[in-house]
Amino acid sequence: MDCDLLQRQWGYTCQPVADGVLYAESPFVLVGDGSHLGAYIQDIGSNKVRLSDNADILFNALTYEVQLRKSTLKMLRSIAVSRGLELGDNGELHTVCSQSQLGDSFARFLEAAFMFGEVLQSKRPEPASGFERTIAKILSSKYGPRLSRAATVTGASGHELQFPFGLDIGRPEQQFIQTIAAKSDGSVNWRSVYQATGKFLDLKNNEIPGGRVVVIEPATNIESIHQAEVILQNAARVIEYTGPDHLLREIDLAA
């Protein structure tokens, strides 16, 4: 096994990185990142080789603040197994094959790595909007340590749901709070409205004690705001933000 042979056979970039270890890099890239997908290929004797990403894909996800929850790891492990690979407890995607099967194994490895990228990109947290930062400052000033950021809870679907804020989490009077910022042009962000509705209905159906609160930023179109509130009201208490005092009074009423 040598780089010249692999480059002739596959046309991919290859370079030795240690004694008995090569790194083959494909032209395909990790979704949402641009890093080229590849694998470390180690000769382990007895005509066998070991392919590994050295846990690079999951480490890359962590740099984007992806939280590797049990449900996410279960999904990734299922992808690996479906391609004849393994996902180790340390986050390493790997497999062992005979040298004669290396081409097929490498192709399946790249397929799994690409699918990992798709899953992990979807788990990246969206940057906090200016509206969310405003609400965070108000709630933190009022509630201090009673306020939690990135509060998580399990819905009726079995999925872990995450909300920007939680108040008194773990107590019967707990509240899960979702903000919905307006779009840059001042219109209602309908995608966020439907996402919040789905999350809160999933939470409601699991009969989790406590309050469910949506704080929505005013939009330029009053009729659109009213339509959004109608959609959301069966899932949560809706507060249209008009100022700190009104917001805090409404949240206290929701407890």
Side-chain angles (χ1 to χ4, degrees), residues 128-144 147-149 163-167 176-182 213-218 239-248 251:
S129 66
F131 180 61
E132 183 176 317
R133 290 193 294 271
T134 296
I135 301 304
K137 184 176 180 179
I138 295 167
L139 297 181
S140 180
S141 176
K142 167 72 173 182
Y143 299 109
L147 183 71
S148 303
R149 296 300 304 266
F163 299 93
F165 307 104
L167 186 61
F176 296 94
I177 304 170
Q178 177 71 51
T179 54
I180 298 180
V213 177
V214 173
V215 183
I216 188 167
E217 185 175 18
I239 302 172
E240 182 180 349
Y241 181 74
T242 58
D245 293 340
H246 175 257
L247 171 66
L248 295 174
I251 287 179

Side-chain angles (χ1 to χ4, degrees), residues 2-179:
D2 63 75
C3 276
D4 289 340
L5 177 61
L6 293 183
Q7 287 179 154
R8 287 197 301 271
Q9 290 179 336
W10 299 347
Y12 294 167
T13 301
C14 178
Q15 62 180 3
V17 294
D19 187 26
V21 182
L22 311 175
Y23 183 75
E25 184 178 87
S26 78
F28 308 111
V29 297
L30 187 64
V31 177
D33 179 77
S35 302
H36 285 266
L37 296 173
Y40 295 91
I41 305 172
Q42 180 182 12
D43 187 342
I44 58 175
S46 301
N47 201 38
K48 291 185 179 297
V49 292
R50 186 177 190 274
L51 282 72
S52 167
D53 78 328
N54 198 35
D56 287 346
I57 297 174
L58 264 63
F59 179 79
N60 177 281
L62 292 174
T63 66
Y64 288 98
E65 300 184 355
V66 173
Q67 296 190 30
L68 298 175
R69 306 185 187 282
K70 290 181 180 179
S71 56
T72 302
L73 292 172
K74 182 179 179 181
M75 188 183 306
L76 296 177
R77 190 161 281 117
S78 176
I79 291 171
V81 171
S82 73
R83 299 304 184 272
L85 311 171
E86 295 181 47
L87 179 63
D89 291 339
N90 63 348
E92 178 195 27
L93 179 65
H94 63 93
T95 190
V96 172
C97 67
S98 66
Q99 290 198 19
S100 63
Q101 296 174 321
L102 179 56
D104 176 66
S105 294
F106 188 67
R108 288 187 282 106
F109 189 95
L110 292 178
E111 185 179 13
F114 184 83
M115 294 173 71
F116 271 32
E118 290 184 313
V119 170
L120 294 168
Q121 184 193 35
S122 71
K123 303 297 182 181
R124 291 183 188 180
E126 293 186 6
S129 66
F131 180 61
E132 183 176 317
R133 290 193 294 271
T134 296
I135 301 304
K137 184 176 180 179
I138 295 167
L139 297 181
S140 180
S141 176
K142 167 72 173 182
Y143 299 109
R146 294 171 57 193
L147 183 71
S148 303
R149 296 300 304 266
T152 59
V153 63
T154 302
S157 65
H159 293 135
E160 288 186 83
L161 309 173
Q162 181 170 303
F163 299 93
F165 307 104
L167 186 61
D168 296 324
I169 296 301
R171 300 177 183 175
E173 65 273 19
Q174 66 186 352
Q175 294 189 62
F176 296 94
I177 304 170
Q178 177 71 51
T179 54

Side-chain angles (χ1 to χ4, degrees), residues 194-216:
Y194 289 118
Q195 286 178 338
T197 302
K199 284 198 300 182
F200 276 122
L201 284 176
D202 196 10
L203 179 58
K204 179 180 179 181
N205 291 337
N206 206 23
E207 299 182 351
I208 299 294
R212 303 178 302 276
V213 177
V214 173
V215 183
I216 188 167

Side-chain angles (χ1 to χ4, degrees), residues 181-190 218-221:
K183 296 175 70 174
S184 58
D185 62 0
S187 62
V188 171
N189 189 328
W190 291 107
T220 52
N221 188 315

